[in-house]
Amino acid sequence: MHYMKGLKGAASLRRYCCELSRLSDLDTLIDAVFEQQRRAAQDPDDTREVPFP
């Protein structure tokens, strides 16, 4: 979880990681992280919490 520091929405990302129960959930999470970080790069002033699946 240390590697998530500085990512937009890191708090909700860490919470979601604690709920993972299947390896396929991890794939879904990784896809969501990349998509949310891509969106965050487009609007750096957006301070909303990033929801994860």
Side-chain angles (χ1 to χ4, degrees), residues 1-46:
M1 292 192 193
H2 171 71
Y3 297 107
M4 298 173 203
K5 184 176 182 180
L7 291 178
K8 185 172 186 138
S12 59
L13 176 58
R14 285 190 296 271
R15 282 191 300 273
Y16 184 78
C17 285
C18 293
E19 299 172 4
L20 295 175
S21 60
R22 297 180 306 216
L23 192 54
S24 61
D25 294 340
L26 184 58
D27 291 332
T28 302
L29 176 64
I30 290 170
D31 291 340
V33 168
F34 280 113
E35 178 62 22
Q36 292 299 328
Q37 295 306 308
R38 183 188 65 75
R39 288 182 187 171
Q42 292 174 351
D43 186 6
D45 294 329
D46 185 2

